[in-house]
Each structure stands twice: as structure tokens, then as C-alpha cells.
């Protein structure tokens, strides 16, 4: 099943409709109350991310899957201008996007990073952007970030202070705790963020 596609913007347009569409999906698939609540929480976290994006954002949200496995999808065209983004950030006291704290904040940063062109993104650095991969065949993306790959990377870092800090962020995050996988991928000048949740068993 694929739901209707909801137009969403970071001025709040479509956010309530996106969450409502997620609830309709859960009802149609006859998810029990606990799982329907989990899915709603994930949708709320995803739409919260939209509100924190820098500049004018115009994207598309939908839900696909069935009662056993669900994907919340957010897609947009790659068209963020780095210089404009940089100028917007300079209005803050620190010169940084203060929303890029914690897991969801940094995930927002990865999504913004992917919205830029290859040339512009080469000038960007961010904690989670370091976990980007090129030519990932299993997902079919030209480049991507994934929660699973990040977790593997942190395990390989051992017990360093940086790894401990990022593990702590994951443990405190609703999305990182509830989702089975989170991916951000670039393909054909489009960026897609997907939060996957399985309800099997």
C-alpha cells in the first residue's frame, strides 16, 4: 500500500496532514494501538525535522508498506544553494545551525547536506555527514547515509569519547530507538529520507 503524497514545507504546510495520513495508514492496516502510536511518533519526529531545515523547503511525504513493514518517506529535489544556506546561518550568533544537536538535529544536517549539489556539499562538514557512502548498490543510491552503517562505524571506533557521545545520542533518540533503519539517499537529483519500521512478531 502507498498512501497519498502530501506536500510539506518547513513553514508548517502539510505537517498535520502528513501525521494524519500516517494514522490513516495504521488504521487501514489494522495495526494495534501500541504499534499505531509508534508509527505516529516516528511521523511526528520526521515532520519535526522538516521544520528545522534551513531556507525554503518544499518536499513530498508518504507512507508505504503493510502491517508487517512500514516505510515513512520524505523526498525533495536537490536544489539548496550553499551560499544562501551559509548566509542564513550567519544570522545566528554562533554561525551554526543550532538545531543540529542530538540525533535528529544531526540527521537534519545530513538531509541538508544531500540537498546540496556535489560541488556545494564538498564544502560542508558535519558529524553525521562523515558516514556518507558513495555507490551503495543494495539501495540503488548514488550516495547515502544509513543508521545501520553509522552504528557499525561506531562499533569499529571502540570506546572512544566521540563514539560514546554519539551512542548516547542514539540511545536518547525516539527515532534511533524505534526505527529498524533510517536512510538518506541521493538518486537522480532527488534526496529521499526513509524511516523503516517492522512490526513482525
Amino acid at each position: 500500500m502507498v498512501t497519498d503524497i502530501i506536500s510539506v514545507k518547513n513553514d508548517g504546510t502539510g505537517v498535520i496532514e502528513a501525521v494524519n495520513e500516517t494514522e490513516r495508514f495504521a488504521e487501514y492496516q489494522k495495526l494495534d494501538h501500541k504499534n499505531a502510536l509508534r508509527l505516529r511518533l516516528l511521523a511526528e519526529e520526521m515532520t519535526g525535522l522538516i521544520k528545522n531545515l534551513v531556507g525554503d523547503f518544499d518536499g513530498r511525504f508518504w507512507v508505504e508498506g503493510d502491517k508487517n513493514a512500514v516505510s515513512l518517506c520524505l523526498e525533495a529535489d536537490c536544489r539548496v544553494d550553499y551560499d544562501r544556506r551559509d548566509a542564513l546561518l550567519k544570522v545566528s550568533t554562533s554561525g551554526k545551525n543550532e538545531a543540529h544537536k542530538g540525533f535528529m538535529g544531526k540527521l537534519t544536517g545530513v538531509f541538508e547536506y544531500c540537498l546540496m549539489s556535489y560541488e556545494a556539499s564538498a564544502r560542508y562538514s558535519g558529524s553525521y555527514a562523515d558516514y556518507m557512502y558513495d555507490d551503495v548498490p543494495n539501495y540503488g543510491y548514488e550516495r547515502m547515509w544509513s543508521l545501520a552503517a553509522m552504528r557499525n562505524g561506531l562499533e569499529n571506533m571502540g570506546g572512544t569519547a566521540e563514539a560514546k557521545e554519539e551512542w548516547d545520542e542514539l540511545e536518547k533518540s525516539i527515532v534511533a530507538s524505534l526505527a529498524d533503519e533510517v536512510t538518506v539517499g541521493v538518486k537522480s537529483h532527488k534526496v529521499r529520507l526513509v524511516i523503516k519500521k517492522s512490526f513482525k512478531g
Side-chain angles (χ1 to χ4, degrees), residues 51-165:
K51 294 177 182 178
N52 290 325
L53 292 168
V54 171
D56 298 323
F57 174 79
D58 189 353
R60 301 165 290 279
F61 173 92
W62 72 94
V63 186
E64 60 184 49
D66 55 35
K67 64 181 180 180
N68 296 316
V70 184
S71 293
L72 303 178
C73 306
L74 175 65
E75 184 180 78
D77 299 324
C78 299
R79 61 183 183 184
V80 170
D81 180 83
Y82 182 91
D83 292 325
R84 181 162 183 261
R85 177 186 183 278
D86 194 41
L88 287 165
L89 290 182
K90 284 179 181 176
V91 303
S92 72
T93 304
S94 66
K96 298 179 181 179
N97 189 338
E98 298 300 334
H100 291 182
K101 295 180 180 179
F103 174 74
M104 287 305 291
K106 291 180 179 177
L107 182 60
T108 303
V110 172
F111 193 74
E112 286 181 339
Y113 168 87
C114 289
L115 284 169
M116 301 176 204
S117 66
Y118 279 102
E119 294 77 11
S121 63
R123 299 161 55 190
Y124 175 84
S125 63
S127 176
Y128 286 12
D130 295 336
Y131 295 98
M132 293 296 298
Y133 298 89
D134 292 328
D135 302 319
V136 183
N138 55 328
Y139 287 99
Y141 291 122
E142 295 157 15
R143 56 179 171 158
M144 67 161 277
W145 176 94
S146 88
L147 177 59
M150 179 188 170
R151 283 179 169 146
N152 289 337
L154 291 177
E155 287 176 358
N156 292 334
M157 289 171 65
T160 65
E162 182 183 356
K164 184 178 184 304
E165 181 181 347

Side-chain angles (χ1 to χ4, degrees), residues 27-43:
E27 183 178 354
Y28 186 84
Q29 294 296 329
K30 294 181 171 56
L31 294 180
D32 62 33
H33 177 72
K34 185 176 181 179
N35 287 334
L37 180 59
R38 287 171 174 166
L39 199 60
R40 179 189 169 89
L41 285 172
L42 289 172

